[in-house]
Amino acid sequence: MAATPEQIPDTESESVAQAAPELDLQERIARLEAENEELKRRSQELSKAAVPSARGRNAGAIAIVIVAAILLALAVPAVWLNRMITDTDIYVETVAPLAEDPDIQNAVAAAASDALIERIDAQQRIEDLLPENLQMIAIPVSQAVNDFIAKQSVAFVRSDRFAQAWETTNRVGHKALVTAVTGRDTGAVGVQAGTITLDVGTLAAEVQARLVDSGFELAARIPTSGIDKQLVLYESPALAQMSSSFDLASRLAYLIPLLGLGLVAAGVALAADRRKAILWLGGALAIAAVLPLQALFLAQGQVIAQLYQLASIPTAAAQSAFEIIFRDLIAADRAVIALGAVLWVGAIVAGPSRWALALREG
């Protein structure tokens, strides 16, 4: 029985039907590959455009945090100076340990006894009382009186009363310090910008009272109320020239750290890579905080020489005085240096280097 045309298979139609899905799949694959290449191209273009933008943000952020680090480093001496100038209690507390130094005690005792000896003028008084034929004994007698005054002065500065008198003297002398470093007239008599002095009038009055208690009645007649004996501790034209800068730094003391902290926040927020901004902040802060310490150490020799030249304070005593007065400032600067070092090391450890990754994993 012969097959009808309807029963003969259409092999050509079947082949086309089978090839159609394969062609459709290849077209889809080709289209996806083309879309993928287009996405890659656009991504590369965006990356190239973003790199300069990120670099610009990082550069601006680094510049901002460096300025902030300098301001924060300057804020330490500015705040210290402000507290020393505006708060008499802090100033008195800072210089109180000086009263316990033997060399400084001797210098103060010499200044106080000199003031009393000058006022009493024992030789002239004795010469006025003696007849002409006994004038020769006026010199040795007056010398004995002067030695007794000097001995009582030394005994006084070794006593417990000296610490109280030292506090009173420095409360009055605090005005002299303000005038010396700012140039502002606070009513201190005979004090000019560029000169730091210690008025020993109060100490002389205490020594006078001790002389009277010891039986030296003549001392009661010494008019110590008018003594204006200034022990010059430091004198420098440069200090007078810098007084306006000191005054400005004191007035802006608490504005400087606030501005510095504000710039830190702005710089870190601006940075595309905040770790890098903190890295620069820590390094700049540590380096900038070293500068005030270096200035102190460079000035130390000149200050010690001035103390010896003007007040005959020995080098050891001047060294102790310098370390005591600037102790808090030096400690604060060292703390800022340590903070900068911690930020710098922390930013490095948080970085992408192999050893940093190994350290964090460990």
Side-chain angles (χ1 to χ4, degrees):
M1 183 175 181
T4 63
E6 290 80 3
Q7 294 176 333
I8 298 174
D10 191 351
T11 55
E12 185 178 353
S13 299
E14 290 178 358
S15 300
V16 172
Q18 292 176 358
E22 294 179 0
L23 291 173
D24 187 47
L25 179 61
Q26 291 177 355
E27 288 177 0
R28 290 181 181 180
I29 292 174
R31 188 167 55 250
L32 290 174
E33 288 179 349
E35 291 178 354
N36 187 42
E37 291 297 327
E38 179 66 17
L39 289 174
K40 286 183 179 180
R41 184 183 64 79
R42 292 182 180 180
S43 177
Q44 291 175 354
E45 290 178 355
L46 291 174
S47 298
K48 291 179 180 179
V51 168
S53 176
R55 288 178 179 174
R57 288 174 58 189
N58 284 334
I62 290 172
I64 291 174
V65 297
I66 289 176
V67 174
I70 295 173
L71 288 176
L72 291 176
L74 292 176
V76 175
V79 171
W80 177 86
L81 181 62
N82 176 272
R83 286 165 60 84
M84 287 286 285
I85 290 177
T86 60
D87 196 323
T88 301
D89 291 333
I90 292 179
Y91 172 77
V92 171
E93 182 181 353
T94 301
V95 300
L98 297 176
E100 301 174 2
D101 189 278
D103 294 318
I104 294 179
Q105 289 176 348
N106 291 337
V108 172
S113 61
D114 288 346
L116 291 172
I117 290 171
E118 181 181 348
R119 279 303 180 97
I120 196 173
D121 195 4
Q123 182 176 345
Q124 185 61 49
R125 289 175 181 269
I126 293 173
E127 288 178 351
D128 293 341
L129 295 174
L130 293 175
E132 187 175 350
N133 59 341
L134 295 177
Q135 292 289 313
M136 64 185 68
I137 68 172
I139 295 178
V141 172
S142 63
Q143 186 60 48
V145 172
N146 294 342
D147 291 343
F148 179 72
I149 293 174
K151 186 180 296 184
Q152 290 300 315
S153 297
V154 173
F156 164 68
V157 297
R158 298 284 193 270
S159 67
D160 296 335
R161 291 177 60 184
F162 176 60
Q164 300 175 357
W166 179 258
E167 178 180 346
T168 302
T169 299
N170 279 286
R171 285 191 179 277
V172 176
H174 184 247
K175 295 181 179 180
L177 176 66
V178 173
T179 302
V181 300
T182 66
R184 296 201 299 265
D185 185 7
T186 58
V189 178
V191 179
Q192 298 178 350
T195 303
I196 298 177
T197 62
L198 178 66
D199 189 349
V200 296
T202 303
L203 303 177
E206 291 286 344
V207 175
Q208 180 191 33
R210 188 179 184 90
L211 290 171
V212 175
D213 294 340
S214 301
F216 187 56
E217 298 295 338
L218 182 61
R221 302 179 183 180
I222 303 175
T224 56
S225 59
I227 289 180
D228 183 25
K229 178 67 175 179
Q230 301 291 330
L231 179 62
V232 179
L233 299 177
Y234 189 76
E235 185 175 23
S236 171
L239 182 61
Q241 295 172 1
M242 294 174 63
S243 61
S244 59
S245 300
F246 282 126
D247 188 25
L248 180 62
S250 175
R251 294 179 186 273
L252 300 179
Y254 292 99
L255 180 61
I256 294 174
L258 291 177
L259 180 59
L261 292 174
L263 288 177
V264 168
V268 173
L270 174 65
D273 186 349
R274 294 180 177 177
R275 183 194 66 84
K276 186 175 292 185
I278 294 175
L279 176 71
W280 278 87
L281 172 64
L285 189 60
I287 294 173
V290 170
L291 299 180
L293 284 180
Q294 289 298 319
L296 280 176
F297 292 139
L298 291 175
Q300 185 174 2
Q302 183 182 3
V303 172
I304 291 174
Q306 284 264 328
L307 289 173
Y308 181 78
Q309 179 182 354
L310 299 174
S312 299
I313 297 178
T315 301
Q319 178 77 28
S320 300
F322 191 92
E323 292 175 355
I324 289 172
I325 292 174
F326 294 100
R327 176 178 53 196
D328 292 341
L329 176 58
I330 292 173
D333 266 323
R334 288 175 176 172
V336 173
I337 293 172
L339 174 61
V342 169
L343 291 175
W344 185 74
V345 172
I348 290 179
V349 172
S353 62
R354 291 183 179 179
W355 68 269
L357 292 172
L359 183 63
R360 293 199 300 273
E361 290 174 358

